[in-house]
Amino acid sequence: MLCGEFYDTRDLELRRLSSNAKDLMRVYNNLPAENMELRNQILRSLLGFCGENARVNQPIWVDYGCNIFLGSGSLVNMNCTLLDTGRITIGDNALIGPDVKIYTAVHPIVAAERIDTDKSGKQVIRTQTAPVAIGNNVWIGGGAILLPGVTIGDNTVIGAGSVVTKSIPANVVASGNPCTVKKMLSDEK
């Protein structure tokens, strides 16, 4: 799955991993907001990596959790969906706005290629993944959607509501559907 090869989402091992993540996510989402110690403990069990001083506001929605790597000082705001069938890497000091959706799964466009039959004659939906990488000091505006395989370069700002279909370079402001570069950012303060 993580290598980008076709896989069956109903695989028993994958279902077990996903169910474990859903159980941890449900507990996390129902904790009192001020219980930071237990929230951090659960995040470290749920995510593949959670850096120092990273914060994830409740609620959060994930597929597996273990394929999410959250950098130090980063913030994932409330009601974000990180469908991590593939790897999602979020750099240090990144700000992920509320209601952001990050997707890593993709299916063939042609139905005959998307729907297959396994050895036992059971129908299988063919799925593969493409990782998403978000650089350091990035700000993803609320309601943005990042599609499989995109990379967002360091220091970049993605406007609220944007749909990122292709990678965006470092040090720019980008927005729209599809998301495109609107201006370059200078290094001056």
Side-chain angles (χ1 to χ4, degrees):
M1 179 175 79
L2 292 173
C3 295
E5 295 179 16
F6 284 108
Y7 67 97
D8 180 2
T9 59
R10 293 175 284 198
D11 176 84
L12 293 179
E13 176 67 12
L14 293 178
R15 296 299 345 131
R16 187 190 64 73
L17 288 170
S18 181
S19 293
N20 180 62
K22 302 295 187 274
D23 290 343
L24 286 170
M25 184 178 59
R26 185 178 59 252
V27 171
Y28 184 83
N29 287 340
N30 289 304
L31 284 173
E34 67 275 2
N35 193 342
M36 293 304 293
E37 184 176 330
L38 189 51
R39 285 176 58 188
N40 287 334
Q41 182 182 342
I42 292 173
L43 278 180
R44 282 172 173 61
S45 295
L46 177 64
L47 303 182
F49 176 79
C50 185
E52 290 296 316
N53 299 314
R55 181 178 172 130
V56 176
N57 289 340
Q58 301 147 291
I60 180 81
W61 312 105
V62 302
D63 258 340
Y64 297 97
C66 61
N67 298 321
I68 300 169
F69 299 82
L70 180 61
S72 298
S74 290
L75 167 68
V76 176
N77 214 326
M78 66 183 80
N79 208 39
C80 287
T81 302
L82 285 68
L83 298 185
D84 64 313
T85 52
R87 186 179 178 116
I88 296 174
T89 305
I90 300 171
D92 295 337
N93 304 308
L95 302 175
I96 309 298
D99 299 307
V100 167
K101 313 298 184 212
I102 302 174
Y103 305 137
T104 61
V106 64
H107 309 282
I109 293 173
V110 176
E113 296 172 7
R114 184 172 51 249
I115 302 165
D116 203 0
T117 306
D118 68 12
K119 294 174 190 171
S120 68
K122 189 167 53 171
Q123 197 174 52
V124 175
I125 306 297
R126 296 180 76 212
T127 306
Q128 61 188 143
T129 66
V132 171
I134 298 169
N136 297 323
N137 310 307
V138 169
W139 176 19
I140 308 290
I145 299 172
L146 281 63
L147 296 184
V150 302
T151 296
I152 309 295
D154 292 344
N155 309 310
T156 284
V157 175
I158 303 295
S162 296
V163 178
V164 184
T165 61
K166 294 186 171 135
S167 293
I168 303 292
N171 303 305
V172 300
V173 174
S175 64
N177 181 5
C179 187
T180 57
V181 173
K182 303 302 182 195
K183 79 178 215 179
M184 301 296 294
L185 296 172
S186 70
D187 289 332
E188 299 172 21
K189 294 190 181 212

